[in-house]
Amino acid sequence: MLIGGPEWNAASTAEKIDFLDAGRSNISPTRDAATWARVSLLRAELLRGDDSGDPEANQLAAAIDLDFAAVVATMADDRMLVGEILAAQAEALLEQSGTTDLETVLGLARRAITYTRTADRTVTARIYLMIGFCYLHRGAGLRWKNLEKAKSAFKIALRLASAGGLRDLAVTATQGLGEVYLVRIEGEPLRNVGKAQQWLEQAFELHEPTATPPVISCLHKLGLAYLDHRGEPTREHVEAALAAAAAALEHVEVETDPLAWAQLHHVLGKAMAMGAADADDPDFEAGLGWMDRARAVLADLGLADEYARVSFDLATAHLARHDLVGNRADAQRSAERLQQALTVWRPHSAAMECRGAAGLLGHMLVALDDWPGAAAAWQEAADAQEALLDLSPERRHQRLSTRGGGETVSLLAYAYARLGRPEDAAVALEQGRGRTLRNLVGVRQLAGRQDDPEITAAAWKAYREMDRDALAEQGYTGTLQRLRAVLPDFLRPPGWSDLQRWVPAGKAMVYLAVAEYGSSWIVLARDAAGRTVATSVIVDGFDQESLRLLLVGDDGRGRLAAASFGDMDRFTDVLDAVLEQLRVLVEPLAAALDALGVREVVLVPTRFAVLLPLHALLIERATVSFAPSAQMWAAAAATAEATAAVPPRLLAVATPDADPPLPYARLEAQQAAGRFGQSTMMSDEPVSAPQMLAAIADATHVHFACHGQVNLDEPLLSSVELPGGRRLHLTQVLDYEGEAMRCRLVVLSACQTAVVVTRPDEAFILPTGFLTAGAAGAIATLWPVDDLATCVLMDCFYRHLADGQTPVAALRAAQIDMMSMRLPAVLAISSARGGSPNAATAAGSQMPFRHPAFWAGFIHIGA
């Protein structure tokens, strides 16, 4: 009999195995290792495909053959053969264990690809398909990164299969890409849904017109893609999903294939509910019924994750009907289904799913007037968010993990405030602010230790660790444990005991959370006995929609953003209206501060409230500083204390010849330098970012009179312009690992250096970057600032600073000076530069800078 010949093809599996056994007995595994291993490989493949006899015994015998074949092939030094055997081992294990032993399968496939990458297309494509499958379903590691690796593996497999005319493998790779895009985290959600639909439609067209399990699976995934809520499905999408499910169900019975039956009825029920004309449409109730039946089948099968997903979709269907007709029963059913999903999706096992379900559950419980339950649900969502961020310090991971979860902390804090639990509200808000920067502060605390350089290096390594595969092997967590032996609080979320320590004597630490249901101020201050006491001030007349209208407006052009267009007349009118409406929010806080007798305030606004000029309404009552978090304020205060006795040395940076020119920049820097005994001026010679950072480390005060550029899409790329046209970006400040900065103050006298609209709670702005790098405080701007007004304000500021006032007190005094400054004094400063009046001085107003537009854009951040 010749392998591959007519007699071989006509033989049964048992006859083929007997033939191979007889032949292998005459082959020496030591003298002809390659032939012996290849015969064993073929024998194992026959056993794996043998449906007769005992399947488990066949699988076990195949595994034994492959194990021996792998050892013998290694002796033969036949790399291609070794790769084929490893691939067969991986396939056999995958068939036997499904998704329960993916790490072993993935390890075998990775080893196999190192042997076959440049050899046989068929084998290599099969291996990449396995790698793609493993990463698609992998539980270990970062979910978003696994999906990106799955996408890459399926694309390589598709390219190899297409080049080799391997239709079946090409179909599998195409369908795999559709499944990846259906659940992809990286990228724009709507685009991912569109890609999923395209790949799955292409896979369905490539499939043979038969009712095989791969075809049914493809129809199931295609139906889910059509209905994906992120894609806002049209009527055509819903009808397409119905058609896909119905076509597959013609060939599926619950008795013979309960999993496929349940999956397809999930799609069918979801499509019927979404396609219903109104809440009374019989299709809506029928759709709920099909999803309930699918859920019951999945529960019987013990498929917890599938069960949770159907429960979640049932909850969202009930929510949709509740929103339409206000039916309390639907709110109750939605809450029940979400609670059932959350028995599966836990914060540390399915963090992203848990965050979404728990967040929605909180809203449903509010609809049922159950605020304690809502607080518990939102706390679970916040725990899931923390678990997501704990997985890796990588900034890309932090960005993806915080996307979609920013509202949770504000809702949680508001719920705690309503329940009379201000301490819990404060802890929630502190933990939700500046997580990435908070970690970096912890690293820098260790970096400041001089007694153990090795552990300092380990701290940086822990923070910079990028490879989640290493983390899965306890590399990252092991490093954390070692570091915490030296610094117990390293990278731990802060608690109430921390906040009690961080609240300064004589000042109030005040958080602001603006949520969907209202706003809450959380005020932390020390009582007469020195104990930290928390109080809450609820403002139901100002909510998330109120904030949106102030910042964006109904026309979408933006209210405070009007300043970006350089229209000062319009901006002053807009700012007047904004400040008037903000009184509803700020006056209850002012009353609470008056009752406490507090005249110094550290504000920690959350989310988009960071864009509000809150200090402008408190300027006559209190000195106001801002902070990204209490922890960062405490670190800044420690720096301020440590630098108090250091002789002041100013580094002044000016770019008067920038494009467009800044005619008062040099004068502004010179006036500042005149207030210091020691100063260095950088203006005429080009300066690079590393040179600038080194110069900053040698100064106690730094003043930038230049252009600023805020990058709204990627805040880490926000920057200030340096002499010579180069830029200093926020990411360069955060990555600075040189000698620790000991600056008392960094003044960013440039446009919009305190503006952030992407992930606002991460506080990625230049001032907080300098605080993280070791500065005690910074002055920055909320909107584009007038050149002449800035020059005048800074002259006043440095005069008060030279008189011994703290930076925040000096800024407040300068802003008060601006409100009362007369025209002659302004013109004197203007004429010192050759007389370049701005709109305010040209109009002849006797107090040209009285309006907050000229001074309220400047805020102090830090200590």
Side-chain angles (χ1 to χ4, degrees), residues 127-138:
I127 296 171
Y128 273 114
L129 285 176
M130 277 191 291
I131 291 173
F133 179 87
C134 289
Y135 277 121
L136 175 59
H137 298 281
R138 191 184 188 205

Side-chain angles (χ1 to χ4, degrees), residues 545-706:
E545 178 63 9
S546 307
L547 179 59
R548 186 191 71 81
L549 290 173
L550 284 186
L551 296 176
V552 179
D554 282 329
D555 60 2
R557 290 186 60 193
R559 302 194 67 182
L560 286 178
S564 299
F565 301 100
D567 185 352
M568 185 55 71
D569 289 337
R570 178 172 180 243
F571 181 60
T572 56
D573 293 338
V574 167
L575 187 57
D576 283 337
V578 166
L579 291 174
E580 184 60 34
Q581 293 172 63
L582 274 179
R583 293 186 187 281
V584 175
L585 176 65
V586 175
E587 286 182 356
L589 170 66
L593 295 175
D594 287 344
L596 290 170
V598 173
R599 292 293 177 265
E600 294 184 61
V601 179
V602 179
L603 283 183
V604 186
T606 61
R607 287 185 57 72
F608 295 105
V610 298
L611 300 173
L612 298 175
L614 300 167
H615 60 296
L617 295 174
L618 293 169
I619 192 166
E620 295 181 358
R621 278 185 160 115
T623 299
V624 178
S625 183
F626 290 81
S629 66
Q631 180 180 14
M632 291 194 69
W633 187 91
T639 300
E641 183 177 355
T643 58
V646 179
R649 178 184 176 84
L650 176 72
L651 171 64
V653 183
T655 58
D657 299 324
D659 184 17
L662 295 171
Y664 292 97
R666 192 187 304 277
L667 175 62
E668 180 184 322
Q670 289 172 343
Q671 288 175 336
R675 304 284 182 181
F676 288 79
Q678 300 181 64
S679 64
T680 300
M681 185 85 167
M682 289 186 172
S683 179
D684 300 322
E685 297 296 326
V687 181
S688 67
Q691 289 172 327
M692 180 56 63
L693 289 170
I696 291 172
D698 195 40
T700 62
H701 294 72
V702 182
H703 184 97
F704 287 94
C706 56

Side-chain angles (χ1 to χ4, degrees), residues 773-798:
I779 290 176
T781 56
L782 291 172
W783 52 72
V785 291
D786 178 81
D787 192 26
L788 175 57
T790 299
C791 183
V792 173
L793 184 143
M794 285 298 152
D795 186 50
C796 297
F797 166 75
Y798 281 108

Side-chain angles (χ1 to χ4, degrees), residues 646-862:
V646 179
R649 178 184 176 84
L650 176 72
L651 171 64
V653 183
T655 58
D657 299 324
D659 184 17
L662 295 171
Y664 292 97
R666 192 187 304 277
L667 175 62
E668 180 184 322
Q670 289 172 343
Q671 288 175 336
R675 304 284 182 181
F676 288 79
Q678 300 181 64
S679 64
T680 300
M681 185 85 167
M682 289 186 172
S683 179
D684 300 322
E685 297 296 326
V687 181
S688 67
Q691 289 172 327
M692 180 56 63
L693 289 170
I696 291 172
D698 195 40
T700 62
H701 294 72
V702 182
H703 184 97
F704 287 94
C706 56
H707 282 304
Q709 183 181 63
V710 57
N711 191 312
L712 299 181
D713 296 322
E714 183 45 77
L716 288 172
L717 297 180
S718 296
S719 62
V720 289
E721 188 175 2
L722 301 178
R726 296 180 183 177
R727 290 191 167 275
L728 176 63
H729 293 91
L730 172 57
T731 185
Q732 294 171 302
V733 178
L734 291 176
D735 289 340
Y736 173 71
E737 296 182 19
E739 183 180 348
M741 293 183 187
R742 308 301 290 173
C743 296
R744 180 64 184 89
L745 181 69
V746 177
V747 177
L748 296 160
S749 181
C751 294
Q752 296 175 295
T753 46
V755 172
V756 61
V757 297
T758 302
R759 300 168 65 209
D761 278 328
E762 281 303 301
F764 281 143
I765 53 177
L766 279 163
T768 55
F770 280 109
L771 262 63
T772 304
I779 290 176
T781 56
L782 291 172
W783 52 72
V785 291
D786 178 81
D787 192 26
L788 175 57
T790 299
C791 183
V792 173
L793 184 143
M794 285 298 152
D795 186 50
C796 297
F797 166 75
Y798 281 108
R799 174 166 48 84
H800 291 296
L801 192 67
D803 288 341
Q805 295 195 42
T806 63
V808 62
L811 179 61
R812 176 184 180 234
Q815 290 171 326
I816 292 173
D817 289 345
M818 292 285 284
M819 288 189 280
S820 59
M821 184 170 290
R822 311 295 294 186
L823 181 60
V826 175
L827 292 176
I829 294 175
S830 175
S831 63
R833 184 59 181 83
S836 300
N838 65 358
T841 56
S845 170
Q846 289 306 301
M847 288 186 288
F849 297 141
R850 181 174 182 81
H851 196 278
F854 294 102
W855 53 264
F858 287 88
I859 61 172
H860 179 270
I861 301 173

